[in-house]
Amino acid sequence: MAASGRELVPSTAERAGQGRPATGSQVRGRGRGAAGVPTGPRGTPTAPLGVVSHGMAERLAERDAMRRHRVRNRVLGWTSGVLVVAALVWVAFFSTVLGLDPEDVTISGEGTVVDPAQVEGVVAEAAGVPLPRLDTVALRERVLALNGVRDVEIRRAWPTGLTVLLESREPVVAVPVDGGFALLDADGVRVRTDPVVPEGLPEIDAPLDDQGAKALDAALVLLNALPADLHAQVAEVSAPTRDAVRMTLRDGVVVEWGSSEEAALKVRVLQTLRAVPENAGVTLYDVSAPTIPVTR
């Protein structure tokens, strides 16, 4: 502004330069190369905005291909696994590859009472059933229902067999009945009837009805309490009542047993008395009151 206060008016050249974009050195760091390619601050070529370089496009395509490959492999893996599992399930549960073969069944423990042929017949009903699907619980119940079977354990014997371990109800006494003698096991269960008393088996004179059940139980307690050597010497046991049990040995010696109480103590007292040399001629031992035994 001049001293006269008049406003300076731009010259024509200055007005001509207003409103036009800067060119050349007026804009630093921008320009185009010789081929018209945009350049950066130091003249390096740059890609136009929104345009992916050729190298970047190849990398993106490769990444997509790898992703598709992984998905395809995962699907194939899962499909193969499902098919393998399905095949194994079919072989194990539905095919005859693991089917029960009666020829591969082993039976033991039948004793003198259980008929192995009956056990074989029950097992044969499950022939061909695959072992993984075989209901051993139901099979065990059917075997337990057979005469003389006290307990049974059934084990799978791969690939097509079974092991049947029986516990038989071995008779320990014979009780007179119509037509012979009923053979009872240690639990008092009747296992069979024989016309005569089997050799080595003691006879119990007690009724097999409800009224004689307690007397019979007292006699069985006596026999179960005896050691094997003394049990083998028993010829007969009479039990008119549960408190009046009497035992007769094979040498003719009579043992007044009384009730089933203090059975273990009575056995020890009887063994002690019989071991005393002075009692060699004793024909009666009364241990019904074991703390004050009597011999005659």
Side-chain angles (χ1 to χ4, degrees), residues 228-264:
D229 57 341
L230 188 55
H231 188 285
Q233 300 178 43
V234 178
E236 182 181 351
V237 177
S238 63
T241 67
R242 63 179 181 178
D243 297 322
V245 180
R246 170 184 286 192
M247 173 173 60
T248 303
L249 304 182
R250 298 190 183 278
D251 59 3
V253 173
V254 175
V255 179
E256 294 287 352
W257 186 263
S259 68
S260 59
E261 297 179 357
E262 300 182 291

Side-chain angles (χ1 to χ4, degrees), residues 1-291:
M1 181 179 294
S4 61
R6 291 184 302 173
E7 184 178 353
L8 295 179
V9 178
S11 63
T12 303
E14 292 174 341
R15 288 196 305 268
Q18 294 178 355
R20 291 186 301 177
T23 59
S25 61
Q26 291 178 335
V27 179
R28 296 183 179 273
R30 295 178 58 185
R32 293 182 178 272
V37 178
T39 58
R42 300 181 179 276
T44 57
T46 60
L49 295 176
V51 179
V52 180
S53 67
H54 181 69
M56 179 64 71
E58 290 182 348
R59 287 194 295 272
L60 292 175
E62 182 180 357
R63 185 176 63 183
D64 293 340
M66 292 180 63
R67 184 183 299 111
R68 289 193 298 270
H69 180 71
R70 286 195 297 268
V71 172
R72 183 170 57 253
N73 287 345
R74 188 176 297 113
V75 172
L76 290 176
W78 278 103
T79 303
S80 301
V82 170
L83 292 176
V84 170
V85 171
L88 292 176
V89 169
W90 181 83
V91 170
F93 290 91
F94 300 100
S95 74
T96 59
V97 175
L98 300 179
L100 176 63
D101 184 358
E103 298 296 328
D104 291 339
V105 176
T106 303
I107 300 173
S108 61
E110 61 273 14
T112 62
V113 178
V114 182
D115 185 0
Q118 292 182 338
V119 180
E120 292 174 357
V122 171
V123 174
E125 296 175 3
V129 177
L131 289 192
R133 195 157 52 89
L134 182 63
D135 189 351
T136 56
V137 175
L139 184 60
R140 178 177 180 273
E141 293 297 327
R142 292 199 296 272
V143 175
L144 281 174
L146 297 177
N147 179 62
V149 178
R150 182 175 184 175
D151 197 6
V152 61
E153 181 181 356
I154 299 178
R155 303 175 182 171
R156 292 177 176 85
W158 303 98
T160 60
L162 285 179
T163 300
V164 182
L165 305 175
L166 297 168
E167 181 182 348
S168 65
R169 292 189 175 276
E170 291 299 303
V172 296
V173 295
V175 179
V177 294
D178 294 338
F181 293 85
L183 305 187
L184 311 182
D185 71 346
D187 298 325
V189 177
R190 186 171 180 171
V191 294
R192 72 168 186 257
T193 301
D194 283 4
V196 297
V197 178
E199 184 179 356
L201 209 63
E203 179 183 340
I204 290 184
D205 183 11
L208 288 179
D209 54 19
D210 294 338
Q211 293 181 350
K214 293 183 179 180
L216 180 61
D217 288 343
L220 290 174
V221 170
L222 160 62
L223 292 173
N224 292 333
L226 296 178
D229 57 341
L230 188 55
H231 188 285
Q233 300 178 43
V234 178
E236 182 181 351
V237 177
S238 63
T241 67
R242 63 179 181 178
D243 297 322
V245 180
R246 170 184 286 192
M247 173 173 60
T248 303
L249 304 182
R250 298 190 183 278
D251 59 3
V253 173
V254 175
V255 179
E256 294 287 352
W257 186 263
S259 68
S260 59
E261 297 179 357
E262 300 182 291
L265 178 58
K266 292 178 180 180
V267 170
R268 292 197 299 271
V269 171
L270 178 60
Q271 289 178 312
T272 301
L273 293 175
R274 285 175 59 83
V276 176
E278 290 77 4
N279 292 333
V282 172
T283 59
L284 185 143
Y285 294 90
D286 188 344
V287 294
S288 56
T291 56

